[in-house]
Every structure is written in C-alpha cells, then in structure tokens.
Amino acid sequence: MKRLVLFSLSVLALAACQSEKPVTRVQTPSFYVSLADADAEVDAAMARDMISAYRGNNGLRPLTLDPDLQAAAQAEAEAMARADRPSSAEAFKARLASTGFAQPAANLSAGYHTLAEAFSGWRESPPHNRVLLNPAATRIGIATAYAPNSKYKVYWALAVAADRR
C-alpha cells in the first residue's frame, strides 16, 4: 500500500512538472524598436517621457505633446526622406515661428534607427542638447520617416516650442 501511495504521488509530481506553463513574451521597449521599416512609427509619448525626464534631471519642466508640432515634425521628416538628406533646422524653426509657435527649436537628423540612439546622439551633441534643454519649451512634436533606398534609412524631426502666442 505504501508503495502504491508513493508511486501515485510520484506520478502526480511528474504530471505537475509536465504541465504547460504560460509563455511570457517580453516585448522590446519602444525606445529600442528599429524604425527602419515602412510600418514603423516613433512612440511620441515615450519620446516625450524620456526627454521630459532628462529635462527634469536638469531642473526643467516636462513637455506636452502638441498635435500641431507633431504634424509639423511628421511633414518635415517626410520631406527629408523624399529629399534623401536632412534639411535646415533654421528654416524649420522659421516655419514653426510663422505658424505662431513661440521660441521654437528643432533637431533634424538622420541615420538613427531607434529612439534610444537618437536621444543619445542628441544629448552628446551640444547644439542638439540645447534643443532638448530649451528652458522656454513647454511643447514637443517628434516624428520619423523611413526611406528604404537612402543611406540613412530613418529621418528624424524633433520640434519644441513655448506655448503659442
């Protein structure tokens, strides 16, 4: 009888080990997702949060996503992808100012495949870092465009500005 009980317990223990455990899939954080794909889209909320945290570490206020800056950034990124070259940040800033944004600033770049790469590159570049740490900024728009036949592949447009006049 003891052997039967031990055998039964052993069978139950083995059966428990054989049961399927749910597979937990780890999703890649959006700041590490490659944007070198036609369907890829930068996670603007994640970008805002990353940049706002960086600003907070430097004593500055967080930023708010602005739909008009988003649209302007998207149009600029697409224009750069069509032209197959980064455009002038000064010209982009002038266009933003002409639409009523106060104290606009911009980072226009190409070649970064992830948000993490772009953010890191911008922090390491003094002119780009000044845009991230613009003390007047309250609003942000960020976008990318993919150009598969370009040497850069991904074009970036980041716009920050103070509240509209």
Side-chain angles (χ1 to χ4, degrees):
M1 184 65 153
K2 251 186 185 177
R3 285 186 183 173
L4 183 58
V5 170
L6 286 174
F7 176 75
S8 297
L9 288 173
S10 297
V11 169
L12 286 173
L14 284 173
C17 290
Q18 296 296 324
S19 68
E20 289 187 34
K21 295 179 183 176
V23 176
T24 304
R25 294 185 184 202
V26 177
Q27 186 175 2
T28 303
S30 62
F31 49 87
Y32 289 133
V33 171
S34 176
L35 299 170
D37 184 281
D39 297 325
E41 192 174 300
V42 66
D43 183 343
M46 173 61 74
R48 175 209 53 214
D49 293 347
M50 282 177 80
I51 294 167
S52 290
Y54 179 59
R55 289 170 57 83
N57 289 341
N58 286 277
L60 299 169
R61 66 182 144 203
L63 302 172
T64 302
L65 280 175
D66 184 285
D68 293 333
L69 279 177
Q70 263 316 108
Q74 189 63 56
E76 193 65 26
E78 289 170 2
M80 290 187 296
R82 280 191 305 277
D84 196 17
R85 64 180 171 78
S87 52
S88 162
E90 291 305 314
F92 183 46
K93 284 173 24 180
R95 284 192 300 279
L96 292 172
S98 74
T99 61
F101 283 103
Q103 301 177 31
N107 283 342
L108 303 178
S109 56
Y112 299 120
H113 285 207
T114 68
L115 174 57
E117 289 173 2
F119 180 64
S120 180
W122 292 335
R123 280 186 328 208
E124 298 302 316
S125 162
H128 291 98
N129 194 48
R130 279 193 293 278
V131 171
L132 297 175
L133 299 178
N134 178 347
T138 58
R139 307 209 160 288
I140 185 173
I142 185 169
T144 59
Y146 175 59
N149 297 321
S150 165
K151 71 177 181 178
Y152 298 113
K153 304 287 187 233
V154 182
Y155 290 84
W156 291 82
L158 166 75
V160 298
D163 290 333
R164 290 189 115 154
R165 296 177 233 143

